[in-house]
Amino acid sequence: LKTLKEERDTLDEKLKRANKDLKAKDQALKDLRARLSRSEGEDEALESNLSKYQDRVRNLQNDILRKDMLIKELRGKITQMTGQTEALQEKAESITSVKEAYRKAKLEAERKDEAARAAKGRAEALASDCQQLQEVVKQLEVRE
């Protein structure tokens, strides 16, 4: 009887420990479920953030593509403008040489005009001298 009592006490203690352990495990399970629920909420928030970041990355990629196209277009325009600039520089050099030739021709024309005026003056002086000589010759002829 004593042994049965001891066994019963031992079994009661084991049952109490098992109940206590069951309660602890039940509490641990509740805690795990609460953590799981919170983590699911966090997962949903993370998925939402991930979706937002993926959209942002796509928008940035599209922006990069657009800017790359713009850069290519601007490079083409720069190349075109460089060619136009070179052509304009050549025209400017040509105009400068034409202006220089015009200036030289004008100076030459002025020099020749001045020489022509001087020659005209000399011709007029010679004509006057010639006329005076003709008059002298006439007077000499009349005297003879």
Side-chain angles (χ1 to χ4, degrees):
L1 196 60
K2 200 176 188 186
T3 328
L4 283 175
K5 198 175 185 184
E6 287 174 359
E7 265 186 57
R8 192 180 94 192
D9 288 341
T10 306
L11 286 175
D12 279 341
E13 275 183 41
K14 284 183 179 180
L15 182 62
K16 285 179 187 177
R17 275 186 271 156
N19 280 336
K20 188 177 179 182
D21 193 32
L22 179 63
K23 285 181 184 177
K25 287 184 179 182
D26 190 42
Q27 185 60 41
L29 181 61
K30 285 180 185 177
D31 291 344
L32 282 173
R33 283 185 180 153
R35 281 179 50 200
L36 179 62
S37 176
R38 281 194 309 267
S39 114
E40 285 175 355
E42 289 172 358
D43 285 350
E44 288 173 8
L46 289 173
E47 285 178 17
S48 173
N49 284 343
L50 176 62
S51 177
K52 289 177 188 175
Y53 287 134
Q54 287 172 334
D55 289 343
R56 189 168 178 206
V57 166
R58 276 190 295 276
N59 290 338
L60 289 171
Q61 287 172 334
N62 290 335
D63 194 37
I64 288 170
L65 290 174
R66 184 181 58 78
K67 287 180 180 179
D68 279 344
M69 290 174 59
L70 182 62
I71 286 170
K72 286 179 184 176
E73 181 182 332
L74 290 174
R75 282 185 181 151
K77 286 182 180 180
I78 287 171
T79 303
Q80 180 184 8
M81 291 177 87
T82 300
Q84 290 174 349
T85 301
E86 290 172 356
L88 288 174
Q89 285 174 340
E90 289 174 7
K91 284 182 182 179
E93 289 171 3
S94 174
I95 289 170
T96 302
S97 67
V98 168
K99 281 182 178 181
E100 185 62 26
Y102 171 76
R103 186 185 65 78
K104 286 180 181 180
K106 185 177 175 183
L107 288 174
E108 182 67 22
E110 288 174 358
R111 188 184 62 75
K112 287 184 179 181
D113 191 39
E114 190 66 33
R117 275 192 233 119
K120 183 179 176 184
R122 284 191 306 268
E124 287 173 357
L126 287 173
S128 174
D129 287 346
C130 209
Q131 193 176 25
Q132 286 175 358
L133 286 172
Q134 284 176 353
E135 285 177 15
V136 169
V137 170
K138 278 184 186 179
Q139 287 176 359
L140 286 174
E141 286 177 357
V142 169
R143 285 188 187 171
E144 286 183 8

